[in-house]
Amino acid sequence: MGTDIPRSTTINKKPQPEGGQAPVVQRVRIRYAKRGPLRFTSHRDFARAFERALRRAGVPIAFSQGFTPHPKISYASAAPTGVASEAEYLEIGLRAPVDPGELRTALDAALSPGLDVLDAVVAGGGSLADRIEASHWWIELPGVDPVTLHRAVDAFTAAEEVLVERMTKQGRRTFDARAAVLRIGVREPAETPSEVTGVPCAILELVVRQVTPSVRPDDVLSGLRVVADLEPPVSPRVTRLAQGTLTAQGAIADPLEADRDRATIGER
């Protein structure tokens, strides 16, 4: 990341007023990606980098009240460390209105390549978190033959319950990895976005409902180990392709689309 941002990619708003925190006058929802080596950025490290980007881009971020004010940022269902994503979401509160297109450009320029701001819209009503019902995942399994993966997926699908264990903040928990999986299959043909070569590479596709405790891609892989003894020889490459609201057809709708629709209606 460079040390200077061109003036054309800086919002350039007035500083926070002295003697108190300015109220939120606009909320903006942002979609961003974690790509390449930056997929290993933890959520905490991304939050620090994003706050620095807000300052460097001159974004008029609003702050909370109190002895130690914090920027008004809320995150929705962040991907685990080590997982790439094309669909991460957050919302920021601003003390002055901005053009969302200019905001997207300024923040993208202020972040390192690989942490890429893809979209920004003025928030409408409701909660962003309430629009995150499911995630679409793509899991590359180098060294696993597609036929072997097909057999494992068939066993997983046929099971009524697949119990797995994971360490959580509340300690080690056992939960059902099967119930949250809405769709599971083997991607055909086996093309690898990360350009794995020289070995077979099966690709697993998942659509997983948001539940508590959350069921992550590694939990489903644990479930495949339980039902079919599937043990990938090397670490999988996981990418979240989308997350959002489930449609009646089982597709995942962009959670920002409702905000765009609301803005279009308001402009008529």
Side-chain angles (χ1 to χ4, degrees):
M1 181 160 49
T3 57
D4 296 309
I5 299 176
R7 187 175 182 84
S8 60
T9 57
T10 303
I11 301 297
N12 287 324
K13 294 291 182 180
K14 294 180 180 180
Q16 189 81 247
E18 296 181 4
Q21 304 300 331
V24 172
V25 301
Q26 184 186 59
R27 295 186 182 275
V28 177
R29 291 169 178 167
I30 291 170
R31 176 187 174 195
Y32 66 96
K34 292 171 60 179
R35 296 166 170 162
L38 272 297
R39 70 185 187 278
F40 294 105
T41 304
S42 70
H43 176 62
R44 180 174 296 180
D45 287 341
F46 173 80
R48 292 195 194 102
F50 187 72
E51 289 180 24
R52 288 195 299 268
L54 289 169
R55 292 193 296 270
R56 296 183 66 236
V59 177
I61 189 74
F63 285 80
S64 62
Q65 301 287 340
F67 187 70
T68 55
H70 298 285
K72 294 271 191 176
I73 308 170
S74 58
Y75 296 89
S77 187
T81 304
V83 171
S85 179
E86 294 296 314
E88 300 297 287
Y89 294 92
L90 60 83
E91 180 176 300
I92 57 177
L94 304 177
R95 54 188 166 78
V98 302
D99 177 85
E102 293 180 5
L103 176 68
R104 189 210 67 78
T105 300
L107 286 174
D108 190 52
L111 286 165
S112 298
L115 297 177
D116 303 319
V117 180
L118 306 179
D119 199 2
V121 299
V122 176
S127 164
L128 178 59
D130 289 342
R131 299 183 191 173
I132 307 296
E133 294 180 347
S135 290
H136 181 193
W137 301 93
W138 180 315
I139 306 173
E140 299 171 44
L141 300 169
V144 175
D145 183 86
V147 174
T148 301
L149 181 59
H150 269 294
R151 286 198 293 264
V153 166
D154 288 344
F156 185 93
T157 303
E160 292 185 4
E161 183 180 68
V162 180
L163 297 180
V164 300
E165 288 188 348
R166 175 166 32 99
M167 184 62 72
T168 69
K169 293 179 180 179
Q170 291 74 38
R172 183 165 294 279
R173 295 191 61 177
T174 299
F175 55 93
D176 181 14
R178 176 67 185 89
V181 176
L182 300 175
R183 188 166 72 246
I184 182 170
V186 181
R187 179 81 174 189
E188 301 288 355
E191 298 174 353
T192 55
S194 58
E195 300 179 352
V196 175
T197 58
V199 294
C201 185
I203 298 178
L204 181 69
E205 270 198 296
L206 295 171
V207 175
V208 181
R209 188 187 299 276
Q210 297 285 113
V211 294
T212 303
S214 62
V215 173
R216 307 183 311 201
D218 55 311
D219 298 320
V220 177
L221 292 176
S222 295
L224 294 176
R225 187 181 307 116
V226 168
V227 298
D229 200 29
L230 180 70
E231 190 72 52
V234 299
S235 297
R237 290 284 298 269
V238 182
T239 302
R240 174 148 56 190
L241 300 177
Q243 58 175 328
T245 305
L246 282 168
T247 68
Q249 294 74 34
I252 296 180
D254 178 2
L256 304 187
E257 198 61 42
D259 298 308
R260 274 188 285 269
D261 289 345
R262 183 176 181 275
T264 301
I265 293 170
E267 291 167 358
R268 290 175 182 170

